[in-house]
Amino acid sequence: MSLSNYNVDLACEKLGFSKEVALLLKTPQRELQVELPVHLHGGKLEVLVGYRVQHSDTRGPCLGGVRYEPSLCLSSIRELASLNTWRAAVSDLAFGGAQGGIALDYHGLNEQEQEEIARLYVSRIDCIIGPHVDVLSTDQNVDSQTISWMLDEYCKKHGFQPACVTGKPLKLFGTQLGQEGSGIAAYYACLRIAQERGLAAERFTLQGYNQDQSVFADLISQKGGKVLAIGFEGQVFFAEFGLNIPEINVYFAKHGSLLGYQSEGVKSLLPEELFGLACDVFVAGDFIGSLGVPQARSLQAKLVFELAPAAITEEADLVLLERDLLVIPDLIGSLGDTVLSYFEWVQNLQHFRWDRGSIVSELERIVAKSCDETLGLAEDLKLSLRQASYVLACERVASAATLRGHR
């Protein structure tokens, strides 16, 4: 059983829901698999497999990313689709959850091949997507350029509807703040909960590094905190008195990677050593299931912040619970992506662009509200933050389903 479904069952038990209700909340509404014949690597025909899973549209149109990943399978797509439902519900936004992707090794493809794949994928799923049905967004290896090709392909048949995708460039009706907002939301949520629980949040270690984490790390540095170590693709960069984050971000922006990075005072550690470093906050920000039982047992942090969706396994979560370590779950840690997508979608529907100050203010308001409601529920019912976030989300989705007459 996935960690998401496990926590849905726990939440339904706390709420007094029947097993039938729990089953309905866990079951996706629609799953689509498509085959994508494309010529790659000098003309060789390959048939790629693409997916789109729509978990729930009870509270609004489905929303979810599209990712390119060699090992992508239907079970991981289902997990991410359900997480998108619960994340939108915790934030109390008018969205349900979906997820899509293509089983594909994205590296080594030229721009023409990238565009062909993006367009073909949308042409095969366009019958089940749209601004009022299912909104696509950026995700792993799918950037603003790729989502722009997807937008154009959809518009060929349905007319210009920029609200059908989010994560677009600003010049193509994207939103001020853009993907930078996800890192801002994550940092704000981490500090708010740490402060409410009376924990220090000054010394961090990061598992994984991408655009969100680079913004997150930059804010830590600006506010006087220290990033002691970063794990990236099997390498660990460590500095006893803190890494030079501005320098690292310049390198990352230039190369799209941290591999090969060197600097005075920076040591290379073994991958497993990352988890044993003493710190205030450990950020689980790598791939699905990247923090398992051995890592959970090794952690020397006071707080675990799950920035990447489903980064912590079900078994590891139980270990962290037994160790009485505070875990800020992914429904809170990665809610910035959902909120920013919502802002972009609303602006596109209104044909009106908000200014940066308005977006930052509203982002902070929604993050604060989500954190405070989850904290309050956790204290009232004596639950972990993960359990509380699922109770909050499941109650909202189930209530909406009942009011709409769903059985």
Side-chain angles (χ1 to χ4, degrees):
M1 183 187 295
S2 71
L3 180 57
S4 173
N5 285 346
Y6 171 78
N7 281 288
V8 170
D9 284 336
L10 287 179
C12 287
E13 185 177 335
K14 289 289 182 183
L15 290 162
F17 293 165
S18 67
K19 291 183 178 180
E20 286 78 11
V21 171
L23 179 60
L24 287 173
L25 290 177
K26 292 184 293 185
T27 304
Q29 293 178 191
R30 177 188 284 158
E31 297 179 350
L32 179 63
Q33 177 177 315
V34 294
E35 278 64 46
L36 311 172
V38 291
H39 289 90
L40 304 176
H41 309 300
K44 180 183 177 183
L45 178 66
E46 296 186 29
V47 180
L48 307 175
V49 179
Y51 307 95
R52 190 69 185 175
V53 173
Q54 295 169 345
H55 178 260
S56 172
D57 64 0
T58 301
R59 287 172 47 86
C62 296
L63 167 75
V66 180
R67 60 171 51 194
Y68 295 163
E69 189 179 295
S71 59
L72 198 66
C73 61
L74 189 55
S75 61
S76 62
I77 292 289
R78 285 181 186 140
E79 173 80 355
L80 292 168
S82 67
L83 286 171
N84 286 330
T85 295
W86 311 129
R87 189 180 299 111
V90 165
S91 307
D92 203 16
L93 301 178
F95 272 143
Q99 181 67 34
I102 303 171
L104 167 68
D105 185 355
Y106 190 70
H107 302 290
L109 298 180
N110 61 42
E111 187 173 291
Q112 182 179 344
E113 292 168 336
Q114 294 170 18
E115 181 174 353
E116 181 183 358
I117 291 167
R119 290 183 180 278
L120 183 56
Y121 174 72
V122 169
S123 72
R124 294 294 170 90
I125 68 167
D126 88 311
C127 57
I128 65 165
I129 64 174
H132 300 289
V133 181
D134 183 359
V135 180
L136 309 184
S137 59
T138 52
D139 203 333
Q140 187 172 313
N141 293 320
V142 173
D143 59 12
S144 60
Q145 175 57 75
T146 306
I147 211 74
S148 298
W149 291 324
M150 293 182 178
L151 166 67
D152 185 68
E153 189 64 29
Y154 181 84
C155 293
K156 285 180 178 179
K157 184 181 293 187
H158 302 278
F160 186 60
Q161 300 189 53
C164 71
V165 301
T166 66
K168 301 180 294 294
L170 189 60
K171 292 182 178 179
L172 196 58
F173 306 100
T175 185
Q176 295 277 357
L177 209 63
Q179 292 184 325
E180 177 189 356
S182 299
I184 293 172
Y187 179 78
Y188 187 73
C190 183
L191 256 64
R192 190 175 187 87
I193 291 178
Q195 289 170 357
E196 287 294 321
R197 287 296 180 91
L199 296 174
E202 298 174 356
R203 298 158 66 248
F204 293 73
T205 57
L206 275 60
Q207 179 196 27
Y209 211 70
N210 57 23
Q211 184 172 357
D212 288 352
Q213 281 132 309
S214 69
V215 174
F216 185 85
D218 191 52
L219 286 169
I220 293 169
S221 179
Q222 288 181 31
K223 302 297 183 179
K226 302 291 183 184
V227 177
L228 303 179
I230 297 172
F232 185 87
E233 295 187 8
Q235 293 192 19
V236 175
F237 305 91
F238 169 75
E240 183 178 359
F241 300 105
L243 295 165
N244 186 332
I245 295 303
E247 180 182 273
I248 283 178
N249 282 346
V250 168
Y251 186 93
F252 185 73
K254 180 178 180 180
H255 300 281
S257 169
L258 292 184
L259 299 181
Y261 171 74
Q262 294 181 335
S263 186
E264 185 177 353
V266 176
K267 300 178 182 178
S268 180
L269 302 181
L270 295 174
E272 58 269 22
E273 292 182 283
L274 176 71
F275 303 94
L277 295 173
C279 62
D280 297 324
V281 182
F282 180 89
V283 179
D286 214 344
F287 52 87
I288 294 175
S290 57
L291 200 159
V293 170
Q295 294 83 12
R297 287 176 176 158
S298 301
L299 284 178
Q300 297 300 311
K302 300 170 186 174
L303 186 159
V304 181
F305 185 73
E306 190 178 23
L307 181 55
I312 301 174
T313 67
E314 176 189 341
E315 297 79 10
D317 199 54
L318 292 174
V319 170
L320 296 172
L321 196 59
E322 289 170 1
R323 293 186 60 195
D324 201 27
L325 285 179
L326 179 63
V327 177
I328 300 177
D330 51 359
L331 297 192
I332 297 294
S334 59
L335 63 76
D337 289 328
T338 303
V339 178
L340 267 294
S341 286
Y342 178 75
F343 290 169
E344 184 174 339
W345 177 71
V346 169
Q347 290 172 83
N348 289 162
L349 291 177
Q350 294 175 334
H351 301 284
F352 182 80
R353 178 169 283 163
W354 307 345
D355 61 42
R356 183 184 177 92
S358 299
I359 293 172
V360 171
S361 176
E362 188 65 8
L363 176 64
E364 290 184 351
R365 184 192 68 81
I366 291 175
V367 171
K369 180 174 178 289
S370 302
C371 290
D372 293 349
E373 288 178 338
T374 303
L375 281 164
L377 199 57
E379 292 171 5
D380 291 344
L381 301 181
K382 308 303 181 188
L383 301 174
S384 71
L385 291 183
R386 189 185 304 279
Q387 292 164 351
S389 67
Y390 274 90
V391 168
L392 186 63
C394 288
E395 192 281 328
R396 284 173 173 166
V397 174
S399 294
T402 299
L403 288 168
R404 294 182 63 172
H406 294 179
R407 298 290 184 270

